[in-house]
Amino acid sequence: MTDKDRQTISPVPRPAGEEEDLLRIWATPKGWRLPTAVNNTVIGLLYLGAAFLFFVLAGILALIMRTQLAVPGNDFVNQDLYNQLFTMHGTTMMFLFAVPAMEALGVLLLPQMLAARDLPFPRLSAFAVWAYIVGGSVFFLTIFFDLAPQGGWFMYPPLTLTEFQPGDNADFWLLGIGFIEISAIAGAIEIIVGVFRTRPPGMSLDKLPIFGWAMLIFAGMIMVAFPAVILATMLLEIERAFDWPFFTAELGGDPLLWQHLFWFFGHPEVYIIFLPAAGLVSMIVPTIARKPLIGYNLIVVAIAATGFFSFGLWVHHMFTTGIPALSLAFFSAASMAVAIPSGIQFFSWIATFAASNRKIQFTTPSLFVLGMLAIFLIGGLTGVMVAMVPFNWQAHDTYFIVAHMHYVLVGGMVFPLFAGFYYWVPILAKRQLSERLGRWAFWLMFIGFNVAFLPMHFTGLLGMPRRVWTYSEAMGWGPLNLVSTLGAFTIAAGVLVFIVDLARNFRVGEGGKDNPFGAGTLEFLPQDVYSTRSIPHVSSRYPLWDDPDLPRAVAAGEHYLPNAPTGGRETLITSPIHARPQYVIQMPGPSWSHVLAAVFTAAFFLLLTVKLVTPALICGALAILSCLVWVWGIDKGPDKGPIDIGGGLHLPVYVTGPMAHGWWAMIVLMIVAGSLFFAYLFSYLYLWTVSPDAWHAGRPYLPGALRPFLSALLLISSAGMIWGARHRLKIPGHRSLMSAGLILLAALFAGIGLGLEFQGHWGQGLRPQSSSYAAMVYLGIILSAQIMLAILIMCFYCIARILAGKLDRIRVASLENTSLLLYYLVGQALLGLLLIHGFPRIMGPLA
């Protein structure tokens, strides 16, 4: 922004003392108010702290395992406990640490990097965090009660079916992890809408910080990948609880279906956690080198390409399952091709260092970045090795894979995370962590890691299989395992030094340097008790380098939205591409409703795990009630006129339609639902393909066309009625009760349409326990019915708002979102009808 531009943006005058009072209202809640907080700094720190705690706990489990394997024939733990240990270690690291830690960084850092007061749905972020903390804590505690799962973090059937794993151990994994994935999806919705809609004016997408791009692709990958594992856990839990034969070969199921669904999530997850970590490195490297990042555009393309390629690699984990040779060749090539975009990022970082015109300062963040480069490089090279089918056949399920996996995950994610801790702590605590202790932590972790995992390559090549709890001295693996165990304890010593450093130096709010590393990005602007005093106009990728006076001008309120013109929590919503100011969003304050919703939702899933159905249903109802209380007061409507945001701009505080951030969130949710349904379509067609005889045997009849035609007609009519209700609200002086009646009819028609489909199959004697075909038919109805349940609740919510005078032709956001979801349901249900009733006729007569 030029001086001339800055002169046109002046603060909105306020009475003396009022501005500080408003900022105190926004301040971090203290004491007993902490659980109700919706401030991104509080929520982000809570999220990150919980994820780090799970990291430490999973590391302790790893130390117990390494102690057991240190010498041959050890009996430190028994086989049953060891199975629980490695299952909980892998599950906790992947589900309770890696993805949540990256989401936490997004919640914590993105508003700072975007100079936004907050992300657009702070209560949604808080809900996701509390649900994760409650659900994750209960899940981890199962290890102390002999209730932890024993099937590995991948839980392959048939070994995880009730026949081989009776009891509730596997159910805790299935329901607990499935629920935690829902929490991750809620965070992804927040991140996607936040990146697209809360950027500062002038920050077009070509000026977005690399970490913003990484988090955007990260969240997009969660939208597509996580529904697959949610469907997989649904299938396995339903089979365990109700004997629907999705994975039982005798009735047309196939255990490999689980592997396809799980690894469609599992391999992209490696990149889901790598991309944000690489984004952290791309933010730190320019500051270390005092040079803008070389190849910004190429890195953006590389991030997108990595996300795209990662979905073509899931069979990389299934080379030994007997899949066709053509599939082996395709997925082997894709597994090698994904190294290209990762290499682009590597060479960009190296080029940025090489282009620096000053000596690199080896601070703690730079040490962790350089350590990441070395470790991840080795992991990438071994990744190319295991992508080669003949080598994969030899190394599969050996300790070579354990070594490769840890070099990729620890090098690609953990070391950048620790670099980020040391680099960004000053924006949170205004006090740096100790350089001396930081160096000790780095060298202990770096040396310990290589001592622990480098020998595992050789252990694996010598034939040691994964997941064995003891071994014979005659195998010759003892010395290498002892070295690995010593390395594991060295890593633990490094982490302990870091914890000591945090305990000694991390104090929120203490004074210190605002920008100790001389960074050029917005997160190092001076922070008040509630983010920046004004939102700057951005004209470059490194605004603090290009305009050294920017921190003073922002703190003085010389940019957009100075002080608090709405009299409460607020931030700017800008256009998704060019970041032009569009309206001001009024943010909700602290509340107990989202906390109670998270607790009751977690209780619902956990009580179902132990078969307490009635208490679970009560908690589910209380969770829905809490959500309704949560959202009731959010849609305030245009309670304030257009406000002066500075620079002569006056913006509204309420919009509806495609410009609204709530509309964007609903579109993202629909994409998630579509990904879940796509995984169902894949499962249906996969089972039909791999076992056509058993599949056809499960179809003793082909239902007549009249009933599905009536179902389709009712569903389409429901969409027309909800459209009519919205249209009538636009008419001045209309009778709102007519719109309420149309909304009610829309919900009833959609519900009856789905009910007809269910009754048609049930009335013809088709039972889901009889075959995988029958189970898949009813599963399709379930997937639509769960959306129908949400629509029913939303429809009655809209009717209640109409009766309360809170939904009219202006305040119509809740009805718009309900309409969008109903339109999606109609499309999904019609596609399901075509699959069940049209597909068999297209494919010819039954076998």
Side-chain angles (χ1 to χ4, degrees):
M1 175 179 288
T2 64
D3 291 339
K4 182 178 179 180
D5 292 332
R6 189 179 296 114
Q7 289 170 4
T8 66
I9 300 178
S10 57
V12 177
R14 285 203 167 275
E18 184 178 349
E19 173 189 334
E20 189 62 30
D21 290 340
L22 287 169
L23 289 172
R24 290 188 184 282
I25 292 173
W26 295 335
T28 298
K30 298 179 181 179
W32 65 271
R33 296 186 64 191
L34 176 62
T36 69
V38 289
N39 178 282
N40 75 284
T41 301
V42 180
I43 293 302
L45 284 175
L46 188 64
Y47 207 175
L48 191 59
F52 184 75
L53 176 60
F54 284 123
F55 169 75
V56 172
L57 293 173
I60 293 172
L61 299 184
L63 293 179
I64 298 173
M65 293 161 57
R66 286 311 318 169
T67 301
Q68 167 64 23
L69 295 173
V71 294
N74 201 355
D75 59 357
F76 180 67
V77 296
N78 60 40
Q79 184 176 6
D80 186 69
L81 178 57
Y82 187 86
N83 289 341
Q84 295 186 40
L85 288 172
F86 78 69
T87 300
M88 291 298 293
H89 168 74
T91 301
T92 302
M93 283 295 191
M94 298 302 291
F95 291 101
L96 298 182
F97 165 62
V99 173
M102 292 296 102
E103 277 201 335
L105 285 177
V107 172
L108 189 62
L109 294 179
L110 278 177
Q112 319 297 338
M113 291 182 180
L114 305 179
R117 298 274 169 78
D118 212 329
L119 294 175
F121 305 104
R123 287 187 184 176
L124 182 63
S125 292
F127 167 82
V129 171
W130 285 112
Y132 155 73
I133 290 174
V134 174
S137 299
V138 173
F139 172 75
F140 190 86
L141 288 174
T142 58
I143 191 70
F144 299 104
F145 300 96
D146 197 31
L147 290 173
Q150 304 175 34
W153 78 282
F154 36 77
M155 294 291 286
Y156 285 164
L159 295 180
T160 51
L161 296 179
T162 307
E163 178 183 357
F164 301 101
Q165 285 201 30
D168 297 328
N169 298 54
D171 300 303
F172 273 106
W173 193 97
L174 293 168
L175 288 172
I177 294 305
F179 162 64
I180 291 169
E181 298 310 310
I182 295 173
S183 172
I185 288 173
I189 293 172
E190 174 82 296
I191 288 169
I192 290 173
V193 181
V195 170
F196 273 123
R197 304 307 310 276
T198 61
R199 302 196 308 277
M203 185 182 278
S204 53
L205 285 177
D206 63 339
K207 300 183 184 69
L208 180 66
I210 288 293
F211 182 71
W213 277 110
M215 291 305 299
L216 185 62
I217 302 300
F218 160 90
M221 293 172 70
I222 286 178
M223 287 189 334
V224 178
F226 279 36
V229 76
I230 291 174
L231 181 70
T233 57
M234 286 178 62
L235 297 181
L236 186 50
E237 181 58 28
I238 289 173
E239 177 152 358
R240 286 178 56 86
F242 304 110
D243 296 322
W244 294 21
F246 299 109
F247 305 109
T248 301
E250 293 82 358
L251 295 174
D254 188 355
L256 285 185
L257 174 60
W258 170 273
Q259 291 198 38
H260 281 290
L261 292 174
F262 183 85
W263 290 119
F264 186 80
F265 145 82
H267 200 88
E269 190 187 26
V270 174
Y271 298 96
I272 284 173
I273 62 180
F274 166 68
L275 288 179
L280 298 179
V281 175
S282 293
M283 300 295 292
I284 296 172
V285 165
T287 300
I288 297 172
R290 296 294 295 176
K291 182 77 176 178
L293 188 67
I294 301 294
Y296 172 94
N297 293 333
L298 281 175
I299 285 189
V300 172
V301 172
I303 291 172
T306 300
F308 175 79
F309 277 123
S310 68
F311 286 98
L313 306 183
W314 80 91
V315 180
H316 168 97
H317 296 266
M318 302 172 61
F319 284 169
T320 60
T321 59
I323 62 176
L326 182 61
S327 297
L328 290 176
F330 173 82
F331 287 102
S332 177
S335 299
M336 290 182 279
V338 77
I340 296 174
S342 299
I344 289 173
Q345 296 184 74
F346 256 78
F347 283 114
S348 172
W349 300 330
I350 294 171
T352 304
F353 281 129
S356 176
N357 55 8
R358 70 163 195 164
K359 184 178 180 181
I360 302 298
Q361 298 295 316
F362 289 98
T363 60
T364 300
S366 62
L367 287 174
F368 275 103
V369 166
L370 295 173
M372 172 266 184
L373 294 177
I375 293 174
F376 189 75
L377 177 61
I378 296 174
L381 293 175
T382 57
V384 175
M385 294 171 65
V386 298
M388 312 294 279
V389 175
F391 182 85
N392 188 290
W393 283 346
Q394 300 301 315
H396 186 77
D397 267 348
T398 71
Y399 260 78
F400 188 95
I401 302 300
V402 176
H404 157 70
M405 181 174 62
H406 283 84
Y407 265 87
V408 169
L409 296 178
V410 176
M413 184 265 180
V414 175
F415 272 69
L417 183 63
F418 275 86
F421 279 146
Y422 281 92
Y423 182 75
W424 276 291
V425 156
I427 74 172
L428 305 171
K430 303 299 183 183
R431 175 173 169 178
Q432 290 177 259
L433 298 178
S434 167
E435 273 293 313
R436 180 174 61 87
L437 291 178
R439 291 170 185 270
W440 271 100
F442 167 75
W443 285 113
L444 285 169
M445 291 176 65
F446 182 77
I447 295 172
F449 177 84
N450 286 285
V451 170
F453 292 100
L454 189 61
M456 290 185 189
H457 293 96
F458 304 104
T459 310
L461 293 176
L462 289 173
M464 182 173 178
R466 301 169 64 182
R467 300 181 290 276
V468 293
W469 73 288
T470 189
Y471 53 92
S472 169
E473 185 175 2
M475 303 303 298
W477 305 329
L480 289 173
N481 273 296
L482 180 59
V483 170
S484 291
T485 299
L486 293 175
F489 279 91
T490 306
I491 298 172
V495 175
L496 181 60
V497 170
F498 171 75
I499 294 173
V500 171
D501 196 1
L502 279 182
R504 289 185 57 190
N505 295 300
F506 189 80
R507 299 290 185 275
V508 176
E510 290 193 3
K513 297 175 65 176
D514 285 327
N515 192 358
F517 298 106
T521 44
L522 294 177
E523 71 269 23
F524 286 97
L525 284 172
Q527 304 292 321
D528 283 303
V529 288
Y530 183 64
S531 192
T532 57
R533 187 60 58 94
S534 59
I535 297 176
H537 185 95
V538 174
S539 57
S540 71
R541 293 172 187 156
Y542 298 95
L544 299 190
W545 286 351
D546 297 333
D547 185 2
D549 188 52
L550 185 62
R552 182 209 60 79
V554 166
E558 297 178 7
H559 286 258
Y560 295 107
L561 211 63
N563 306 329
T566 67
R569 296 165 55 91
E570 63 199 16
T571 196
L572 275 180
I573 296 293
T574 54
S575 61
I577 305 298
H578 300 291
R580 297 188 178 101
Q582 291 185 326
Y583 67 100
V584 176
I585 176 177
Q586 299 181 81
M587 313 295 290
S591 169
W592 280 101
S593 56
H594 61 273
V595 181
L596 294 176
V599 172
F600 286 129
T601 304
F604 170 75
F605 281 91
L606 294 170
L607 288 169
L608 281 181
T609 303
V610 292
K611 312 300 187 293
L612 296 176
V613 178
T614 301
L617 293 177
I618 294 173
C619 287
L622 291 173
I624 293 171
L625 179 61
S626 299
C627 289
L628 294 177
V629 173
W630 160 7
V631 299
W632 183 263
I634 291 179
D635 188 7
K636 299 178 180 178
D639 58 338
K640 298 178 175 63
I643 61 171
D644 183 3
I645 69 164
L649 291 178
H650 291 75
L651 296 182
V653 296
Y654 185 80
V655 300
T656 57
M659 186 184 293
H661 60 287
W663 185 91
W664 278 66
M666 183 55 68
I667 294 297
V668 175
L669 180 62
M670 290 161 57
I671 294 173
V672 172
S675 299
L676 181 64
F677 192 70
F678 174 82
Y680 164 75
L681 293 178
F682 169 83
S683 303
Y684 181 98
L685 297 176
Y686 174 83
L687 290 179
W688 172 78
T689 303
V690 300
S691 185
D693 293 337
W695 183 261
H696 289 155
R699 294 194 293 145
Y701 78 101
L702 188 61
L706 179 60
R707 196 178 297 272
F709 175 78
L710 290 176
S711 295
L713 185 62
L714 287 168
L715 288 164
I716 294 171
S717 299
S718 71
M721 290 176 183
I722 202 84
W723 179 87
R726 173 68 183 94
H727 180 72
R728 287 194 61 82
L729 281 175
K730 296 179 180 179
I731 303 173
H734 78 289
R735 296 182 62 186
S736 59
L737 288 179
M738 179 65 73
S739 293
L742 288 173
I743 293 171
L744 179 61
L745 286 176
L748 292 177
F749 273 42
I752 294 171
L754 291 178
L756 276 178
E757 173 68 0
F758 172 82
Q759 195 278 332
H761 294 294
W762 193 267
Q764 293 289 333
L766 188 68
R767 297 296 182 266
Q769 296 85 359
S770 62
S771 68
S772 60
Y773 165 76
M776 276 294 170
V777 167
Y778 283 99
L779 179 66
I781 299 174
I782 289 174
L783 293 179
S784 294
Q786 63 185 9
I787 300 177
M788 187 65 244
L789 176 61
I791 289 173
L792 282 173
I793 295 169
M794 295 171 71
C795 284
F796 283 111
Y797 173 79
C798 289
I799 293 171
R801 289 188 70 84
I802 288 176
L803 297 177
K806 294 180 178 293
L807 197 160
D808 50 37
R809 64 190 185 92
I810 302 298
R811 290 183 294 180
V812 74
S814 54
L815 181 55
E816 281 187 342
N817 291 334
T818 303
S819 302
L820 284 174
L821 192 58
L822 180 59
Y823 298 152
Y824 169 80
L825 170 66
V826 171
Q828 174 177 302
L830 291 177
L831 186 57
L833 290 173
L834 182 63
L835 177 72
I836 301 301
H837 298 277
F839 180 74
R841 290 179 170 87
I842 294 172
M843 297 307 295
L846 300 178

